[in-house]
Amino acid sequence: MLADDRWAEPANRVEMVIKTEEARVPDCTSRARGQRPMDHPAGPQVGGPSRRPKSAASTGQIRIAGLTRRRGILRCAPFGFRARLHDMKHHEVIVVGAGVAGIYQIKRLADLGIDATVLEAGGDLGGTWQWNRYPGARFDSESYTYGYSFSRELLDEWHWKERFSGQPENLRYLNHVADKFGLRQYMQFNCRVDSAHYDEAQNLWRLRIDDGRTGDQRELSCRFLILTLGLLSIPTLPRLAGMESFKGQSFHTFDWPHEPVEMAGKRVAVIGTGATGIQVIGEIADKVGELTVFQRRPNWSAPLNNGPISDAEMADIRRRYDEIFASCARTPGGFEHEPDRRGFFEVTREERLALWDKLYDGPGFGIWLANFKEIFTDEKANSEFSEYIADRIRRRVKDPKVAEKLIPRDHGFGVQRVPLETRYFEAYNRPNVHLVDISETPLVSATETGLRTSERDYEFDIIVYATGFDAITGAFDKIDIQGVGGEKLADKWRTTISTFLGMMIHGFPNMLMPSGPQSGSASTNYPRGIETGVNWCTDLLEYMAAKGYTRAEATAGAEKRWTDHVTNMYAMMLMRKAKSWFTGYNSNVAGHEQGTIRYLVYNGGAPKYVNTINAVAAKGYEGVVLSADRGAPPSGSQPTVVV
Ligand code: NA7
């Protein structure tokens, strides 16, 4: 199925490397690759008397004292660490972003005793689940495949209440993880990173931070910069005249107010029918006065089929966790949904229909990912399946004219990110819900009282912009990132995205992106992808520490090979023709509105990605130039204590 097999070597994981290191560094009790790191009990309470880690023997933490004593780059936190966190000027590692990836990243670093902090622009942790508080926001990954896999204790104690858990519960979960493992003490909130410049002479990253606590700018430096910025963290609004003149309430779904929004009896507009709009619309249709949906292009969508998880089911899930994560690791999407391996054209139409009926009534992404593989690559197969889904829509929407408007014409099912819905199509059967096709009558402006299309004015109390994100690279573009010789990342990526494994960039040494563009995260079950990425990046740091390296930079050649590979993977996928955030399209971002394809996601599937990055590690990080430090520790850095 894959276009370019250059990276298809079998999985040689990095046991060899690690065993060697363990033999040479007796204090380092690295976990075996591919296994979960050991749990460690809850860290000291925030603000508690001491944050000095207990001994490794008592906590199960990985000890790195030996590494530190040698030549290492890893330094443990000073005493009184948290109290002085905001005053520290240098850290060995700075992680930017306290979302799902940042939380796991700091957990790994904390376990290693590495001097690290997390800088988060928002007021609290949680990323996506902190921000997106719109009604209907929920996983469309099965909850128990979304949670972290690294701690058996965590898996055993957490009860997912719904198969596809909602935002409030998801945020509670992430807070629970942070509190259980004492991770908040490493986090600094309301700290927006404005710039990150690589100082070649010192081999350091120098960051300028807008500190919301004080309202001041401050500077920080670090040896390693780990960017866990989120894939969809920069919301984009339409470029619509008069938006600021609207007198009612209006917000992007990402910025949904924290306080309850009174919607009963209100006239509400929703602009956008992507995954977000579809969740909102299904949820609020029966709770508002009038709901008017402004749709530019319909999306293919299928039922989520959510439901509660009983105590007995949760107990069964807990028993099966190893099996569940093993099957996630085996499947291209990182879900339990395995593709149907039968050839689309080798089975009869009746057999195809039987599968589709089963999947349509089944939970989650089965309809997309447990389908025939040809859906993604073969126009004929895709078109037959799309027609099946179109019929399902026609059966659910009473007004045939409305039904036809809800059926996409410009792309087939599954070539854009598939939204999963609950009562979405039935919403249009309600007398208080109206569909405005703005491909026919475009939005012209917002007004003081509502919205104007080319046809007429509409009056609203609330306007909801479900208009998507400057996806995947948007958060990188927001920071002035400059690498060797002052090269700006935004310039490097202006026309073509290029990375090494989606985690490193030539010219930007010691900058790691566990869930970056072209990594395995964007196109797979996100937490499964981020655990892979975080583990790889952390293993690289451990490897460097053990060997006395302090600088890591992907070579230009390795970056080119990876980027070519990512690009080639698009060649066979129908998705390359679709205008969606998978291909870098966004009508609201200058330069991204033409639909010129940007190769942002890795389409080779999770197993292939994991095999590839592990093979790179097993070969001593082939494609990465590792070298010893040229720079001295920065003046003003805090003293470090070896634990
Ligand atoms: P998406 O999937 O990018 O959807 C954005 C929607 O907003 C889509 O229907 C767009 O129509 C519409 N849109 C965007 N800009 C405009 C303007 N200017 N006028 C009218 N309509 C507009 O974002 P979501 O937030 O729904 O989903 C993002 C991901 O979040 C999702 O895939 C999940 O992974 C979670 P268009 O199709 O461009 O015509």
Side-chain angles (χ1 to χ4, degrees), residues 160-437:
W160 291 106
K161 305 278 186 331
E162 291 177 280
R163 184 179 273 270
F164 303 97
S165 177
Q167 177 273 334
E169 182 76 347
N170 306 344
L171 188 56
R172 264 196 294 281
Y173 170 75
L174 294 174
N175 275 291
H176 172 75
V177 173
D179 293 340
K180 177 180 174 64
F181 297 110
L183 303 177
R184 275 180 179 276
Q185 62 181 315
Y186 305 104
M187 297 178 181
Q188 303 183 55
F189 299 117
N190 298 307
C191 284
R192 200 185 65 232
V193 178
D194 287 336
S195 67
H197 294 178
Y198 179 66
D199 174 340
E200 201 168 359
Q202 298 288 312
N203 185 28
L204 289 175
W205 280 94
R206 297 191 180 281
L207 276 59
R208 182 168 283 277
I209 289 147
D210 191 353
D211 190 336
R213 247 177 3 117
T214 58
D216 293 334
Q217 290 237 319
R218 65 187 164 102
E219 289 179 2
L220 271 178
S221 64
C222 60
R223 183 75 69 203
F224 293 95
L225 179 62
I226 301 188
L227 300 176
T228 50
L229 302 174
L231 301 171
L232 299 162
S233 47
I234 306 296
T236 49
L237 289 163
R239 293 182 276 194
L240 192 61
M243 279 169 58
E244 58 305 323
S245 68
F246 178 60
K247 296 268 195 274
Q249 267 188 297
S250 66
F251 29 79
H252 192 284
T253 44
F254 183 81
D255 295 313
W256 195 276
H258 285 207
E259 59 280 4
V261 177
E262 184 50 63
M263 301 191 106
K266 297 282 171 62
R267 298 162 303 172
V268 179
V270 174
I271 304 176
T273 50
T276 302
I278 283 175
Q279 284 187 330
V280 178
I281 292 159
E283 183 68 26
I284 67 173
D286 61 354
K287 299 179 182 66
V288 301
E290 298 289 318
L291 173 61
T292 307
V293 177
F294 291 84
Q295 172 188 272
R296 190 164 60 185
R297 290 185 306 145
N299 256 292
W300 292 104
S301 179
L304 177 66
N305 291 320
N306 194 16
I309 297 178
S310 67
D311 287 353
E313 283 165 323
M314 196 61 224
D316 181 55
I317 288 165
R318 289 201 190 97
R319 264 193 303 278
R320 293 193 302 110
Y321 260 129
D322 285 345
E323 186 193 317
I324 289 168
F325 289 124
S327 75
C328 290
R330 201 168 55 231
T331 58
F335 291 88
E336 277 198 289
H337 309 290
E338 294 223 27
D340 194 306
R341 307 272 174 201
R342 298 172 298 166
F344 184 99
F345 299 106
E346 285 160 19
V347 299
T348 63
R349 175 156 166 82
E350 286 64 39
E351 286 170 305
R352 293 199 284 274
L353 290 173
L355 174 69
W356 295 339
D357 283 347
K358 188 178 90 180
L359 295 178
Y360 197 85
D361 294 335
F365 281 133
I367 192 75
W368 193 21
L369 304 178
N371 216 314
F372 299 97
K373 295 190 298 298
E374 290 86 344
I375 300 294
F376 296 96
T377 55
D378 186 291
E379 298 271 11
K380 198 156 166 270
N382 184 280
S383 136
E384 183 182 318
F385 179 59
S386 300
E387 197 41 48
Y388 168 87
I389 297 287
D391 274 344
R392 287 293 204 141
I393 295 170
R394 291 184 186 107
R395 280 196 251 162
R396 291 174 60 186
V397 180
K398 286 187 188 142
D399 181 337
K401 282 203 196 114
V402 174
E404 292 310 313
K405 284 192 186 304
L406 293 170
I407 296 171
R409 310 284 168 197
D410 67 329
H411 66 281
F413 185 97
V415 306
Q416 295 184 179
R417 202 292 204 171
V418 175
L420 295 178
E421 47 84 21
T422 304
R423 302 182 300 274
Y424 175 66
F425 292 106
E426 287 72 18
Y428 294 97
N429 297 333
R430 298 180 56 84
N432 68 326
V433 177
H434 319 284
L435 181 64
V436 178
D437 183 344

Side-chain angles (χ1 to χ4, degrees), residues 9-24:
E9 297 95 313
N12 293 320
R13 298 188 65 95
V14 292
E15 276 97 25
M16 180 199 72
V17 171
I18 297 304
K19 277 181 194 143
T20 308
E21 295 315 316
E22 283 172 359
R24 290 179 50 203

